[in-house]
Amino acid sequence: MGAIAAQAVTRSVEDYLKAIYRLSTAGQPATTSAIAGLLELSPPSVTGMVKRLSEQGLLAHEPYRGVALTAAGRRLALRTVRRHRLVESYLVAYLGYSWDTVHDEAERLEHAISDELAERMAAALGNPGVDPHGDPIPTADGDIAEVTGVPLSDVPEGVAVEVRRVDEHDAERLRYLASLGLVPGALVTVTGREPFGGPVMLRTPAGTHALGPSLAGDILCGRPAE
Amino acid sequence: MGAIAAQAVTRSVEDYLKAIYRLSTAGQPATTSAIAGLLELSPPSVTGMVKRLSEQGLLAHEPYRGVALTAAGRRLALRTVRRHRLVESYLVAYLGYSWDTVHDEAERLEHAISDELAERMAAALGNPGVDPHGDPIPTADGDIAEVTGVPLSDVPEGVAVEVRRVDEHDAERLRYLASLGLVPGALVTVTGREPFGGPVMLRTPAGTHALGPSLAGDILCGRPAE
DNA sequence: ATCCGGATTTAGGGTATCCGAATTTTGCTG
DNA sequence: CAGCAAAATTCGGATACCCTAAATCCGGAT
């Protein structure tokens, strides 16, 4: 339920919660410096905000150890993630944005739109389950689907798999991946790979290419639907 | 040109400039207390911000006298007005908002959208000249059309005129006016009026009604555009 | 020309968020 | 188990806004 947010939650607060959410779902510990790194802030700033958010019951903070979201913090974080991904989806679907340029716009709009507008966009989009990058969109009541799959870098050779999610924010790299046909839903087959984490050879609808291991690690694949 | 905004302009700054712009186009002097009234702030807060904006060259401030926008301030104000009206237009045209509910949403979004998004919305709308209330939308380079016309309260009897602009923000009153068919573009004829600023009798596509003088004063009419 | 009341500004404070410098804690490591 | 480096926190300070209470200014009324 949107029975959240009795009052104004600042941009900052939402950004902190989102960053902590991101770290914890990435399996990384939400340390002061990790948060500072994501938000491009100094560690003392983070310590200060973490203390405030703990007092508000949004975070559990073990000094010198790290933080975790409380249930309330997680709800707020997911609400922000939902808005972000809905905005990205909407801008791509209806306003001609490409997946590499929506991020910054969504980063600002996610803090400004009302629940009303978020739900109207969701409805216009047909309540999508994933955004243009293949990231799952949390539901309005805070459920979020798991994304399962194997990084393209680990996909066995010769098997046709479907790109499920592209975990990359850099605009230029996103354009590059799109030019290779590596977008959510595309079918890919690994045709060969160099040893020791070298480039991967692959065939996509857009042709045959070599892809470096770091990018290949950002692409989550799975068995083609149906 | 969007050659404005070298750096972040806060919500506050945009709101102050917009309020001052609003006052000056309404022919009212932009005094400290008038600004405070529009923004629902205390006069000392306004004095303080006015000082800061003057230092930034956005306002000309004569202490104890009032303020006026500089060219730079006016450009920023018009940019914000443009965004506001584009957002309102877009939400009404594409997301099912009605003209009485868009204002609050636009009030927040006008500070969050990029030039890019503003222009994409404008393009999607076919670069409209007016918003759903009939207010002119400034162009991207800061030109704004004059709205000319006569308040409905002053329209002579028996002449069919067109509603050009409805200068009202209150949601309930807007719904009421819409229910009477008093929306931009509608044809109205004044069929009679009480003396001494009493109600006006009128005929619209939605029927025949009486309208109080204060609301009638908010409706600007003109000769129908054939 | 003086006075007065309303408008405006100054003074003094408060909150939220950020920073750099200094200090404390933690978890090794020799 | 003492010593250290890295990480985290505390400290002191800055900025941007906002407020109430206390001056101060201005223009009209006497």
Side-chain angles (χ1 to χ4, degrees):
Chain A
M1 244 286 281
I4 312 179
Q7 51 204 319
V9 173
T10 67
R11 187 205 74 96
S12 269
V13 169
E14 293 179 343
D15 283 343
Y16 275 89
L17 296 176
K18 216 176 43 152
I20 295 163
Y21 175 76
R22 199 133 90 76
L23 287 169
S24 50
T25 60
Q28 294 168 45
T31 64
T32 299
S33 48
I35 300 165
L38 277 184
L39 299 178
E40 300 186 87
L41 297 174
S42 71
S45 301
V46 173
T47 299
M49 178 62 92
V50 158
K51 199 177 295 181
R52 269 167 267 148
L53 296 181
S54 299
E55 280 158 13
Q56 289 176 52
L58 296 170
L59 294 182
H61 181 210
E62 293 263 21
Y64 291 101
R65 288 306 179 71
V67 297
L69 293 169
T70 62
R74 184 184 149 87
R75 245 186 314 156
L76 225 42
L78 281 172
R79 192 175 90 125
T80 307
V81 169
R82 173 170 170 82
R83 288 145 174 268
H84 182 99
R85 293 184 181 164
L86 282 174
V87 168
E88 285 200 345
S89 304
Y90 189 88
L91 294 178
V92 167
Y94 289 105
L95 283 162
Y97 277 77
S98 56
W99 77 339
D100 54 296
T101 57
V102 274
H103 186 265
D104 292 350
E105 194 80 44
E107 203 61 36
R108 270 171 293 108
L109 289 177
E110 67 189 6
H111 308 296
I113 69 178
S114 66
D115 281 337
E116 168 85 19
L117 179 51
E119 298 321 314
R120 280 182 190 266
M121 290 193 306
L125 290 161
N127 296 303
V130 296
D131 75 8
H133 303 88
D135 288 310
I137 299 176
T139 65
D141 21 62
D143 295 327
I144 184 167
E146 289 272 334
V147 232
T148 59
V150 182
L152 183 54
S153 46
D154 297 345
V155 167
E157 292 178 31
V159 189
V161 292
E162 182 188 43
V163 173
R164 287 209 179 138
R165 185 171 57 117
V166 177
D167 199 1
E168 178 58 63
H169 280 184
D170 181 73
E172 194 178 337
R173 274 184 277 202
L174 283 170
R175 273 195 300 281
Y176 175 66
L177 291 174
S179 75
L180 266 44
L182 289 169
V183 298
L187 286 180
V188 209
T189 309
V190 174
T191 56
R193 72 164 39 88
E194 299 291 324
F196 306 118
V200 176
M201 303 302 168
L202 40 85
R203 190 171 55 240
T204 71
T208 303
H209 318 273
L211 186 69
S214 101
L215 279 174
D218 291 339
I219 299 175
L220 205 67
C221 302
R223 212 157 358 63
E226 91 242 57
Chain B
M1 243 287 282
I4 311 179
Q7 51 206 317
V9 174
T10 67
R11 187 206 73 94
S12 270
V13 168
E14 292 178 344
D15 283 343
Y16 274 88
L17 296 175
K18 218 175 40 152
I20 295 163
Y21 175 77
R22 198 133 91 77
L23 287 169
S24 50
T25 59
Q28 294 167 44
T31 64
T32 299
S33 46
I35 300 166
L38 278 184
L39 299 178
E40 301 187 87
L41 297 174
S42 71
S45 300
V46 172
T47 299
M49 178 62 92
V50 158
K51 201 177 294 181
R52 267 168 266 148
L53 295 181
S54 299
E55 279 159 13
Q56 289 175 53
L58 297 170
L59 294 181
H61 181 211
E62 294 263 19
Y64 293 100
R65 289 306 181 73
V67 298
L69 293 169
T70 61
R74 184 185 149 85
R75 247 185 312 156
L76 226 40
L78 282 171
R79 193 174 88 125
T80 308
V81 170
R82 173 171 170 80
R83 287 144 176 269
H84 183 100
R85 294 184 179 164
L86 283 174
V87 168
E88 285 201 343
S89 305
Y90 188 89
L91 294 178
V92 168
Y94 289 105
L95 284 162
Y97 278 77
S98 56
W99 75 338
D100 54 296
T101 57
V102 273
H103 186 263
D104 292 350
E105 193 79 46
E107 204 62 33
R108 271 171 293 108
L109 289 178
E110 69 188 6
H111 308 297
I113 68 177
S114 65
D115 281 337
E116 168 85 19
L117 178 50
E119 298 322 314
R120 281 183 189 267
M121 290 193 308
L125 290 161
N127 295 304
V130 297
D131 74 9
H133 302 88
D135 288 310
I137 299 176
T139 64
D141 21 63
D143 295 328
I144 183 165
E146 289 272 334
V147 231
T148 60
V150 182
L152 183 53
S153 46
D154 298 346
V155 167
E157 293 178 30
V159 190
V161 292
E162 181 189 46
V163 175
R164 287 208 178 139
R165 186 172 55 120
V166 178
D167 201 0
E168 178 55 64
H169 280 186
D170 180 73
E172 195 178 336
R173 275 185 276 201
L174 283 170
R175 273 195 300 280
Y176 175 65
L177 292 174
S179 76
L180 266 44
L182 289 169
V183 297
L187 285 180
V188 209
T189 309
V190 174
T191 56
R193 70 163 43 87
E194 301 289 324
F196 306 116
V200 176
M201 304 299 170
L202 40 87
R203 191 171 54 240
T204 70
T208 303
H209 319 272
L211 185 70
S214 102
L215 279 173
D218 291 340
I219 298 176
L220 205 67
C221 303
R223 216 164 347 65
E226 54 251 64

